[in-house]
Amino acid sequence: MNRNEQLFNRAKNVIPGGVNSPVRAFGSVGGTPRFIKKAQGAFVWDENGQRYIDYVGSWGPAIVGHAHPEVVEAVREAALGGLSFGAPTEGEILIAEKIAEILPSVERVRLVSSGTEATMSAIRLARGYTGRDKIVKFEGCYHGHSDSLLVKAGSGLLTYGNPSSAGVPEDFTRHTVVLPYNDTEALSQCFAEFGNRIACVILEPVAGNMNLVKPSAQFVHTLRRLTEQSGTVLIYDEVMTGFRVALGGVQSVHGIVPDLTTMGKVIGGGMPLAAFGGKKEIMDCISPLGGVYQAGTLSGNPLSVAAGLKTLEIIQREGFYEHLNALTERLVNGLNAAAQAAGATFVADSIGGMFGMYFADKVPQSYADMQASDVECFKRFFHGMLEGGVAFGPSAYEACFMSAAHTPELIDETVATAAKVFAQIG
Ligand SMILES: *Cc1c(COP(=O)(O)O)cnc(C)c1O
């Protein structure tokens, strides 16, 4: 038995399912998860000593490459000065100022420790600010694991959602409406029906948790117009897309100014850090200024802030995104060409440093489209690539991530491996 298997079996004796976050268990693709021993640049190594070109990137944070020497040094230096104080620090101001500089829609920002905390707090804030209960989310979008967001569509288009997890009372999801992604018609209907009772709409402005799905311009512009007209808070959940699809996130690409933005992943450069921010008028409703309660013992942790600040500093450097985007495009073009040569039903797409791979004949526009893709084919592709030394996210419903530490040579190696795998899986 190899070491990954040994560790997985041991882990299962003390950790439910052997993992601390479910997708890591390889449940969607089968087989044994790789236990990672170390990572550097574009690579991760498992406990068997096998090296992989990594396109998981810790699910997005590793945008400058794993264990970037400047980031590691910033964390080391911060650690020497103490790990946590439970009191304000200058670093928190520096990173807040940097976030506000990068995202013009953010006038005030609060730091938290996870994306889940950021979206949960932003929703409470939107409810407190508007005095309304109802919220709207879209099918296939993931916003962390808080109760009111673990919801799937009800039977009718405008009926309330149902819990998508055991342990979530139906009463909690009564206030959540779930609409299909990219469906401008359904959106308009929803606002016509109860626009002035909706506290907020939360959107992944490019969806990355049902694989990569882009919105139409019509969809996002209609959403902004309808929310504005009805006094509904528009929350852009850019936990995945922020600092990833472009320095200023999707909002900078579409030229849309959301009321609140949630951030995570890249913002902590691999350390637990997330944030929510936006209009001053709304943000000032949170404690200690306002009546919406929100707090955190480790919020703005000095090590996380140091890693985040340094990461943001690196990605702000001249040419960073040109380089990152060129790498992603090289990979996507290479994969599409290899698939075509092998006659595989496959298409890849990307935006900035994020890409999607679909065993379908066209790029999906919605969760329903994604469900129509060939998941069995993805599984074979995933395992073929893994055996060939390339790590993608272990599910057909995950987006993948490029880092600036990847090189054209590594990408060509990835494409060559894919060409072989496409030929094998037919
Ligand atoms: C990852 C993610 C979250 C949740 O963040 P965690 O840090 O895992 O709690 C929320 N929203 C989106 C869009 C995400 O991709």
Side-chain angles (χ1 to χ4, degrees), residues 113-117 119 142-145 204 209 237 239-240 265:
S113 302
S114 74
T116 294
E117 251 187 285
T119 54
Y142 176 70
H143 305 288
H145 60 90
E204 274 189 82
N209 287 286
D237 181 359
V239 168
M240 183 181 283
K265 298 193 168 99

Side-chain angles (χ1 to χ4, degrees), residues 376-388:
E376 286 308 312
C377 225
F378 172 81
K379 288 184 197 175
R380 295 200 294 275
F381 176 73
F382 170 83
H383 281 293
M385 294 303 287
L386 201 62
E387 268 157 43

Side-chain angles (χ1 to χ4, degrees), residues 7 27 47 50 56 70 96-97 132 165 189 212 230 251 261 282 307-308 330 353 379 392 395-396 402 425:
L7 288 172
E47 288 279 356
Q50 168 81 42
V56 182
E70 289 178 68
E97 286 172 347
R132 304 171 182 176
S165 162
Q189 241 179 293
L212 174 72
S230 59
Q251 53 195 275
T261 300
I282 305 175
R330 186 184 185 98
K379 288 184 197 175
F392 292 125
S395 160
M402 186 62 71
I425 64 177

Side-chain angles (χ1 to χ4, degrees), residues 91 99 104 115 179 209 258 295 353 423:
I99 293 166
L179 299 177
N209 287 286

Side-chain angles (χ1 to χ4, degrees), residues 31-43:
T32 306
R34 303 311 193 252
F35 278 67
I36 303 303
K37 182 148 191 160
K38 62 170 184 174
Q40 180 67 61
F43 301 110

